[in-house]
Amino acid sequence: MFRKVLKFLSSMKFAIILLVILALACAAGSFLSQHQSYEWYASRYSERTAAVIYALALDDVYHSIWFLILTAVLCCNLLFCNLLRFKPIFQKTKDFSNPKSMNLSLENSVDFSGNPCYVFKRLRFPAPIETELDGKTVLFSQKNRIGLWGAWICHLGILLLILGFTLGQMTRLEYAVYGVSGQTKPIADTNYLLTIDDFQIGLNEDDAVSQYSASLTVREIDSGETQSAQVSVNYPASLFGYQFYQNSTGWAADVSVLKNGILLQEEILCAGEYFTIEDLPELAVCFNAFYPDFVMIEGKGPATASGKLVNPAYLYSIYYGEEILGMNALFSGEVITIDDYEIQFSNPRNYTVIQIKSDRFTPLALLGGIITMIGLFLAFYLQPKRLLSIPNGNRFSFIGQSRRDGPIFCEELSAAVNEARNVPPLS
């Protein structure tokens, strides 16, 4: 009973079941936005759906206990499968070079009188060797024996690929830094500072965006060491072991706060950010959105007619504690007045979003992918074949064997023999 269970747990059937379940889980993780609150899912779907998402841990699929258990079981399945198959494949590889292991039935053999070496050469076999078989001196050759390991190597690659992906998902670090040209910001809880030296938006002749690119400098706080690079969409850079990606862009603006006519505070805000007044923390200013060419569409609200700075407007909201004091669109030169404070928005410009990732197991996943491709190549393109020539008086009988394309190989053998009939026989 135990052997049957072990055999099933290490079988391809069980592996396929696990792969289907994991594929569905990955699809769910791609479809559902991850790491959101219960309220966020309930507002977009329903209370019942949100409850199901949280109950099945679909809000964080790749770190859920059941996903990790399934992945571990699949890895064990592939590992046991490879371990159990190693000895039989090794023995089969060894036997493949021994003509005694061939089926010597002459039912599918091809007879002819001529030069047998030409047949081997025509079928692109290595030069045959002479060996004794049943008291006769026969010619034997084999090729692509390594193809017997194709499936085994493919399984090994898949195992490494899954391990690399899973460990990477569990341990990878990911940050995002928003900023405009000239700004320096910390990279979350790391020991690094990111300076956005420059940010450019490339335009085509029709003013359509062709590329986003940013010049970055990263400085390690303790040592002061710096590294610089240029990043753009689809062209990341590697600095201090982190990968830096040009993710997206948006609008930012300078916000000035005056108290009784004296400059109190200056901030650079990206759309969606806010700050509190220094000497009145209960008062917060939020920069909601920016419209380069402001228009009001009836029934829809504010919008922009174009991407050019024609009629710029800043959508803002003011909070005092948890109470909203006001929300409106502010045009260039206009000022928000709240008691002794004056708030003004100016200098609209594009900010960049730099995505930063660190995945120590990417090389393992890459190695697994390469090994998988090698295994597939061996399994499908290097078909193990062997050919035996048995003398029978002045004639020779050829017996061929191929692991997969047996009928095709038989046709090739017949064609090679027919061609060999026109070659002078051995002297």
Side-chain angles (χ1 to χ4, degrees):
M1 181 65 180
F2 175 77
R3 289 186 177 181
K4 289 183 178 180
V5 173
L6 182 62
K7 185 177 180 180
F8 174 74
L9 294 179
S10 60
S11 66
M12 280 301 298
K13 182 178 180 180
F14 185 55
I16 292 173
I17 294 173
L18 292 174
L19 283 171
V20 170
I21 297 174
L22 288 172
L24 292 175
C26 292
S30 300
F31 175 76
L32 291 173
S33 181
Q34 301 288 283
H35 309 110
Q36 301 296 338
S37 65
Y38 179 90
E39 291 74 16
W40 189 91
Y41 292 113
S43 64
R44 281 159 178 77
Y45 305 107
S46 67
E47 290 282 347
R48 180 176 295 180
T49 303
V52 172
I53 291 173
Y54 260 67
L56 298 178
L58 296 178
D59 61 307
D60 191 7
V61 170
Y62 303 114
H63 295 86
S64 63
I65 296 298
W66 60 266
F67 185 87
L68 297 179
I69 291 175
L70 284 175
T71 304
V73 172
L74 177 60
C75 289
C76 290
N77 168 271
L78 294 173
L79 180 61
F80 288 150
C81 183
N82 269 21
L83 290 176
L84 292 174
R85 294 179 61 199
F86 180 84
K87 186 175 181 180
I89 293 179
F90 181 81
Q91 186 62 44
K92 188 178 294 184
T93 305
K94 184 178 179 181
D95 292 342
F96 201 77
S97 296
N98 186 357
K100 294 181 180 179
S101 64
M102 293 184 66
N103 179 11
L104 300 182
S105 173
L106 299 181
E107 294 179 2
N108 297 320
S109 64
V110 180
D111 294 336
F112 89 114
S113 58
N115 188 344
C117 292
Y118 183 84
V119 177
F120 286 92
K121 183 177 180 180
R122 174 67 178 78
L123 294 174
R124 298 180 181 177
F125 274 85
I129 60 173
E130 292 186 350
T131 184
E132 291 293 324
L133 183 63
D134 295 338
K136 295 183 178 180
T137 300
V138 299
L139 296 178
F140 174 78
S141 182
Q142 56 84 21
K143 64 178 181 177
N144 301 337
R145 184 175 56 167
I146 193 174
L148 294 169
W149 290 89
W152 192 91
I153 293 175
C154 187
H155 287 172
L156 177 62
I158 293 174
L159 173 61
L160 296 178
L161 186 62
I162 293 173
L163 278 176
F165 173 78
T166 304
L167 294 174
Q169 288 292 327
M170 292 172 58
T171 62
R172 77 173 181 175
L173 303 173
E174 189 169 351
Y175 312 102
V177 174
Y178 296 68
V180 298
S181 297
Q183 271 193 303
T184 298
K185 289 190 172 184
I187 303 176
D189 56 356
T190 70
N191 193 39
Y192 299 98
L193 294 175
L194 172 64
T195 299
I196 302 169
D197 300 313
D198 190 26
F199 175 59
Q200 298 290 335
I201 299 178
L203 300 176
N204 296 322
E205 294 181 358
D206 59 355
D207 290 334
V209 175
S210 61
Q211 183 61 282
Y212 300 110
S213 60
S215 298
L216 309 176
T217 297
V218 178
R219 179 168 66 90
E220 188 176 23
I221 297 175
D222 293 338
S223 66
E225 181 185 354
T226 62
Q227 294 183 11
S228 301
Q230 180 95 5
V231 298
S232 55
V233 178
N234 297 325
Y235 296 95
S238 179
L239 301 171
F240 290 105
Y242 291 85
Q243 292 294 316
F244 290 76
Y245 299 84
Q246 172 62 59
N247 185 279
S248 60
T249 185
W251 287 96
D254 294 337
V255 185
S256 304
V257 180
L258 289 80
K259 184 177 182 180
N260 297 323
I262 300 174
L263 182 64
L264 174 67
Q265 189 175 350
E266 283 185 314
E267 301 285 346
I268 299 175
L269 286 189
C270 300
E273 293 183 328
Y274 73 94
F275 72 97
T276 58
I277 305 301
E278 288 181 354
D279 61 351
L280 187 61
E282 295 86 356
L283 188 61
V285 180
C286 181
F287 180 22
N288 297 316
F290 177 74
Y291 303 95
D293 191 2
F294 181 86
V295 293
M296 182 64 73
I297 301 177
E298 186 176 353
K300 294 185 177 180
T304 185
S306 68
K308 297 181 179 180
L309 293 171
V310 178
N311 183 32
Y314 310 85
L315 183 64
Y316 72 91
S317 54
I318 306 293
Y319 292 86
Y320 188 83
E322 296 183 357
E323 180 183 357
I324 184 168
L325 297 182
M327 181 177 181
N328 206 344
L330 188 71
F331 294 90
S332 297
E334 293 184 341
V335 176
I336 307 168
T337 302
I338 304 173
D339 295 332
D340 298 332
Y341 300 95
E342 291 182 348
I343 304 168
Q344 186 174 11
F345 287 77
S346 62
N347 191 22
R349 58 202 184 277
N350 289 107
Y351 69 81
T352 179
V353 181
I354 303 298
Q355 192 172 19
I356 305 157
K357 297 181 180 180
S358 175
D359 187 346
R360 293 174 295 173
F361 292 95
T362 296
L364 179 61
L366 180 61
L367 176 63
I370 293 174
I371 292 177
T372 301
M373 295 302 296
I374 292 174
L376 290 173
F377 175 80
L378 295 178
F380 289 101
Y381 291 98
L382 291 183
Q383 297 299 328
K385 298 176 181 179
R386 49 186 178 175
L387 186 61
L388 182 66
S389 174
I390 304 175
N392 185 15
N394 294 327
R395 301 177 63 83
F396 296 90
S397 295
F398 277 94
I399 300 175
Q401 181 184 357
S402 177
R403 285 280 297 172
R404 294 183 184 274
D405 54 354
I408 297 177
F409 182 52
C410 287
E411 293 179 3
E412 293 175 349
L413 176 58
S414 297
V417 168
N418 289 332
E419 187 175 332
R421 299 183 195 281
N422 300 320
V423 178
L426 290 172
S427 57

